[in-house]
Amino acid sequence: MQMPETTPINIAEGSLEQVSFNSDGLVPAIVQDNRNGQVLMLAWMNSESLKRTLETGRTWFWSRSRQEYWCKGETSGDRQYVRSAFYDCDGDTLLFVVEQEGRGACHTGEYSCFFRSFDEPVADNKQ
């Protein structure tokens, strides 16, 4: 099986300044599968993790609980390779379209973190 390639994302002049970080210096980042458009996860980025993501072509996030940077998949092997990156009209939400490697994006083993539906009975406690 061939490993996906990392592809840095071009950073157009002035584009990083369009991102509006909250009072904690963070911005939500939605991650979407490039094959089918499925939303895989939402995590938080600060200025440095955003730059790392764009420069390396891999998703980097800021862990609010651990207070550290993490590159998605370095522990699990479920890596994300960025194929395109966007910011919304207000600059306060990011969207990364990725090639997902491995089992998926969710730490529970599900492919997407959004596998629970409000119209289905709850099978177990919140993970």
Side-chain angles (χ1 to χ4, degrees):
M1 183 173 172
Q2 185 177 358
M3 251 179 96
E5 291 184 31
T6 56
T7 307
I9 302 297
N10 182 49
I11 304 170
E13 187 174 337
S15 63
L16 290 177
E17 289 77 22
Q18 300 303 306
V19 178
S20 177
F21 297 92
N22 68 16
S23 59
D24 294 324
L26 301 172
V27 62
I30 299 165
V31 180
Q32 184 180 33
D33 193 306
N34 72 328
R35 293 174 303 157
N36 58 19
Q38 183 177 17
V39 174
L40 299 176
M41 61 181 283
L42 180 135
W44 294 89
M45 289 186 168
N46 62 16
S47 178
E48 179 61 27
S49 59
L50 173 56
K51 288 178 193 170
R52 286 184 189 188
T53 296
L54 297 173
E55 290 171 355
T56 66
R58 294 275 312 281
T59 52
W60 282 86
F61 303 104
W62 176 253
S63 170
R64 295 175 298 164
S65 59
R66 296 186 313 267
Q67 294 290 294
E68 66 183 17
Y69 294 102
W70 57 284
C71 183
K72 179 67 178 151
E74 285 307 295
T75 303
S76 66
D78 301 326
R79 296 175 182 88
Q80 295 173 341
Y81 297 86
V82 180
R83 298 302 175 229
S84 53
F86 305 89
Y87 52 94
D88 75 344
C89 56
D90 296 320
D92 62 2
T93 304
L94 307 176
L95 172 64
F96 294 92
V97 180
V98 303
E99 184 175 342
Q100 178 69 52
E101 179 184 60
R103 298 173 308 154
C106 189
H107 73 279
T108 66
E110 296 289 334
Y111 191 73
S112 167
C113 293
F114 297 96
F115 62 92
R116 296 178 180 172
S117 173
F118 284 103
D119 65 353
E120 295 177 8
V122 177
D124 60 3
N125 291 333
K126 184 178 172 184
Q127 301 218 7

